[in-house]
Amino acid sequence: MMITLLFPLLLTVAKAIDLDTSSKTSICDATALIQDGMLDYYEGIRYGGTVGMFQSPYYWWEAGEAFGGMLENWFLCENDTFKEIIYDAILAQTGSDYDFMPENQTMVEGNDDQCVWGLTIMDAVERNFTDPTDGSPGWLYMTQAIFNEMWSRWDSANCGGGLRWQIFTWNSGYDYKSTISNVCLFQLASRLGRYTGNDTYLDVAESVYDWLVDVGFINVANGTAYVYDGADISENCTDITTIDWSYNHGILLGGAAYAYNATNGSSVWESRVTDIVEGAKSIFFSDGIMYESACQDYDTCNNDQRSFKSIFSRMLGFTSVLAPFTASTIDPLIKSSAAACALSCDGGTDGHTCGLNWQDKTCDGNYGLGEQMSALEVIQNLLIHDRPAPYTASTGGSSVGDASAGLNTTTSSADVLENNLTITSKDRAGAAIITAVILGCMAGGAIWMLF
Ligand SMILES: *[C@@H]1O[C@H](CO)[C@@H](O)[C@H](O)[C@H]1NC(C)=O
Ligand SMILES: *[C@@H]1O[C@H](CO)[C@@H](O)[C@H](O)[C@H]1NC(C)=O
Ligand SMILES: *[C@@H]1O[C@H](CO)[C@@H](O)[C@H](O)[C@H]1NC(C)=O
Ligand SMILES: *[C@@H]1O[C@H](CO)[C@@H](O)[C@H](O)[C@H]1NC(C)=O
Ligand SMILES: *[C@@H]1O[C@H](CO)[C@@H](O)[C@H](O)[C@H]1NC(C)=O
Ligand SMILES: *[C@@H]1O[C@H](CO)[C@@H](O)[C@H](O)[C@H]1NC(C)=O
Ligand SMILES: *[C@@H]1O[C@H](CO)[C@@H](O)[C@H](O)[C@H]1NC(C)=O
Ligand SMILES: *[C@@H]1O[C@H](CO)[C@@H](O)[C@H](O)[C@H]1NC(C)=O
Ligand SMILES: *[C@@H]1O[C@H](CO)[C@@H](O)[C@H](O)[C@H]1NC(C)=O
Ligand SMILES: *[C@@H]1O[C@H](CO)[C@@H](O)[C@H](O)[C@H]1NC(C)=O
């Protein structure tokens, strides 16, 4: 009896991910297994599949987040195995104007969707990922196109400023000013400012940050910053949804760390980074283990939310590097979370599928693309100090840009319709269903990105 029970148990243990947090080989072996798990969901390497897209139910934006994690892995582990997959995926989704508004997405695309891809493309710039060789403009050009288009959508007519969540009037969420769209624009501005040395970007970063504070989406209490989800414009953005998601918090933090670094350590940015790190630590860690506090304890995390720890981990890593005074706080949290996370990667038929709740120290039965990419990013960020900091144009970056990219092509609602991405009756029906779902969620008080 003992023996028959013990045997399968030993087999399982042997298959789980065995992580030595101080060994680069061990970290990169672990993340290789985890990426295999991600690619199980990837359409682009299957016959007839769309390059750059993961299978349903994973939306387009999440592909942008996933390839950002894989691009970082390419850089941190110095392993070219997936380089071509990443390169092909990004180029396939850039769209004819090189602004990450590909035709397949424009009907439903939000500012946040475009911008999460933007963070990945900026990463390609800062990691000196090979610029396109097919005649397409450089990654820097594409990031500038995204930035310029987003900044041109800044809406001063409502709530004193801010980007709307959605780009197009027909999408539900058009009347919602979402924090994700705004913190993401803020981060792109900070990163472009640091990379190019052009202060105009840093001025934009400053105005977006100031607006987020004015409108109350960033709320600092007793040295701890809370980052709320957003508000509808109908009451001048005063009816705020006060949920703090790790991706909002993390992207704000990362943007502030870039601004801190770009200003050679200004005391204003130092104090902002300090408050946001304090919030990150107190809201998203329990016993030193990272968790999505707004949904994990209640087992209500949807597909999008299950991926947030991925971009959050990436941002903690950047912050530790670019604002070195935070390293003594952040690095131990990454280490303890990565160790716990690896223990959760013992599920699935392959024996190394990762779970959602890292506190469980074994796979909790939740699994999917979001769980895999969160595991990837928390574990690979153990290496963040072993490789160069994100490059700038003067320290090793080589991507070719154009400060006016995207300004010729700013896509308005009218343009989209004119370009014959006409709304068919099928699209309308789809949009109506989506609207109903979103309204249902809003009524429930929880708002998240559907696209
Ligand atoms: C590079 O990555 C591939 C795929 O994840 C893996 O099989 C290989 O062992 C890695 N190479 C090294 C040197 O770690
Ligand atoms: C757009 O959607 C069509 C139909 O699903 C697909 O065949 C095509 O590959 C997609 N293109 C991109 C760039 O995603
Ligand atoms: C609307 O909100 C913005 C941002 O908080 C504020 O600056 C502005 O004064 C408000 N306008 C009115 C009419 O209350
Ligand atoms: C701030 O700290 C003080 C003293 O520790 C406490 O009384 C107060 O409730 C705190 N305020 C908030 C908003 O947490
Ligand atoms: C930061 O330092 C560099 C090098 O000393 C200098 O060229 C640059 O002007 C400084 N930037 C700011 C914003 O102080
Ligand atoms: C900016 O980041 C670099 C790279 O990590 C670091 O060496 C430098 O000290 C940072 N600047 C400040 C002011 O902390
Ligand atoms: C960046 O890429 C360019 C072009 O491939 C190369 O010449 C340059 O050496 C690279 N920079 C670094 C820091 O590796
Ligand atoms: C700096 O960036 C702004 C905003 O994109 C642009 O208008 C300006 O031309 C840039 N300046 C330089 C010197 O590139
Ligand atoms: C924008 O359009 C002008 C005039 O047609 C052209 O000279 C310029 O190169 C274009 N800029 C970009 C970034 O495409
Ligand atoms: C858009 O569609 C209409 C009707 O199908 C056609 O006449 C027009 O030429 C198309 N415009 C573009 C820019 O393709």
Side-chain angles (χ1 to χ4, degrees):
M1 193 62 186
M2 272 313 277
I3 288 167
T4 47
L5 265 180
L6 208 60
F7 216 78
L9 200 69
L10 283 176
L11 279 178
T12 310
V13 170
K15 277 172 135 190
I17 284 179
D18 182 21
L19 177 68
D20 173 353
T21 55
S22 60
S23 151
K24 180 167 180 176
T25 307
S26 171
I27 293 164
C28 292
D29 286 351
T31 55
L33 285 178
I34 292 169
Q35 286 183 105
D36 280 347
M38 284 172 73
L39 292 174
D40 287 345
Y41 303 102
Y42 183 48
E43 274 195 25
I45 47 178
R46 289 183 203 156
Y47 181 73
T50 299
V51 176
M53 291 289 284
F54 285 81
Q55 71 188 37
S56 173
Y58 303 111
Y59 292 117
W60 182 72
W61 85 273
E62 195 164 337
E65 191 185 22
F67 290 113
M70 289 182 67
L71 205 154
E72 276 291 293
N73 189 267
W74 161 79
F75 185 80
L76 295 171
C77 287
E78 299 172 86
N79 184 330
D80 280 344
T81 305
F82 297 133
K83 190 176 181 191
E84 205 173 311
I85 289 182
I86 301 166
Y87 175 90
D88 290 345
I90 296 175
L91 266 190
Q93 294 302 325
T94 184
S96 52
D97 292 330
Y98 305 105
D99 57 355
F100 289 83
M101 297 198 63
E103 289 207 2
N104 280 2
Q105 304 302 328
T106 36
M107 296 307 294
V108 292
E109 186 164 340
N111 279 305
D112 49 351
D113 307 322
Q114 187 183 20
C115 193
V116 168
W117 275 93
L119 299 182
T120 291
I121 311 312
M122 188 68 213
D123 207 52
V125 174
E126 293 169 342
R127 296 316 199 177
N128 202 33
F129 192 69
T130 317
D131 246 0
T133 50
D134 68 345
S136 301
W139 309 127
L140 180 59
Y141 176 105
M142 297 182 198
T143 313
Q144 288 169 314
I146 295 170
F147 168 82
N148 284 333
E149 289 181 10
M150 290 185 71
W151 182 229
S152 75
R153 296 180 197 127
W154 186 258
D155 169 37
S156 302
N158 297 284
C159 311
L163 285 180
R164 294 166 180 266
W165 177 20
Q166 294 299 319
I167 300 170
F168 299 115
T169 50
W170 55 77
N171 285 316
S172 173
Y174 183 69
D175 286 342
Y176 190 74
K177 295 235 163 146
S178 69
T179 296
I180 183 62
S181 302
N182 289 283
V183 290
C184 195
L185 172 66
F186 161 68
Q187 179 168 131
L188 276 187
S190 288
R191 289 172 81 161
L192 285 169
R194 175 177 174 276
Y195 183 86
T196 63
N198 180 339
D199 285 340
T200 309
Y201 295 115
L202 294 179
D203 294 343
V204 171
E206 184 73 45
S207 1
V208 179
Y209 192 94
D210 289 347
W211 178 76
L212 283 162
V213 171
D214 280 353
V215 76
F217 296 175
I218 299 174
N219 179 21
V220 182
N222 282 356
T224 300
Y226 297 86
V227 185
Y228 302 141
D229 186 77
D232 196 273
I233 61 173
S234 59
E235 290 165 65
N236 195 36
C237 296
T238 52
D239 188 11
I240 298 175
T241 305
T242 57
I243 302 175
D244 201 328
W245 295 109
S246 67
Y247 79 147
N248 280 330
H249 208 107
I251 292 173
L252 180 74
L253 174 62
Y258 274 93
Y260 168 82
N261 200 268
T263 54
N264 291 341
S266 84
S267 56
V268 172
W269 285 110
E270 179 178 342
S271 125
R272 290 168 177 170
V273 168
T274 304
D275 294 344
I276 308 167
V277 166
E278 193 50 43
K281 184 181 160 191
S282 62
I283 299 165
F284 302 107
F285 292 87
S286 171
D287 294 332
I289 300 175
M290 187 187 299
Y291 76 125
E292 193 63 47
S293 50
C295 63
Q296 246 181 253
D297 283 349
Y298 317 103
D299 209 10
T300 56
C301 302
N302 68 18
N303 276 322
D304 289 337
Q305 294 153 1
R306 283 148 61 166
S307 76
F308 290 170
K309 296 200 293 296
S310 136
I311 205 154
F312 180 64
S313 298
R314 194 188 316 161
M315 295 306 152
L316 288 175
F318 287 151
T319 302
S320 178
V321 166
L322 296 170
F325 72 91
T326 64
S328 59
T329 306
I330 289 176
D331 296 355
L333 292 171
I334 290 182
K335 192 170 169 184
S336 48
S337 298
C341 171
L343 295 175
S344 91
C345 297
D346 64 354
T349 48
D350 61 6
H352 53 252
T353 295
C354 304
L356 178 67
N357 296 310
W358 302 341
Q359 279 105 343
D360 290 7
K361 312 214 164 142
T362 181
C363 189
D364 62 342
N366 286 299
Y367 57 88
L369 178 60
E371 283 83 349
Q372 290 302 118
M373 56 206 252
S374 295
L376 172 71
E377 297 218 46
V378 75
I379 291 174
Q380 73 194 12
N381 269 289
L382 291 164
L383 296 173
I384 201 70
H385 297 287
D386 293 20
R387 296 282 292 139
Y391 297 126
T392 67
S394 56
T395 65
S398 63
S399 185
V400 179
D402 180 339
S404 66
L407 291 177
N408 289 355
T409 52
T410 300
T411 316
S412 67
S413 301
D415 291 338
V416 169
L417 293 175
E418 228 167 70
N419 275 335
N420 273 340
L421 298 162
T422 15
I423 310 183
T424 63
S425 51
K426 185 167 144 270
D427 287 328
R428 277 191 205 281
I433 291 167
I434 290 155
T435 304
V437 171
I438 294 181
L439 288 177
C441 301
M442 284 182 164
I447 299 192
W448 57 78
M449 257 183 335
L450 266 172
F451 303 106

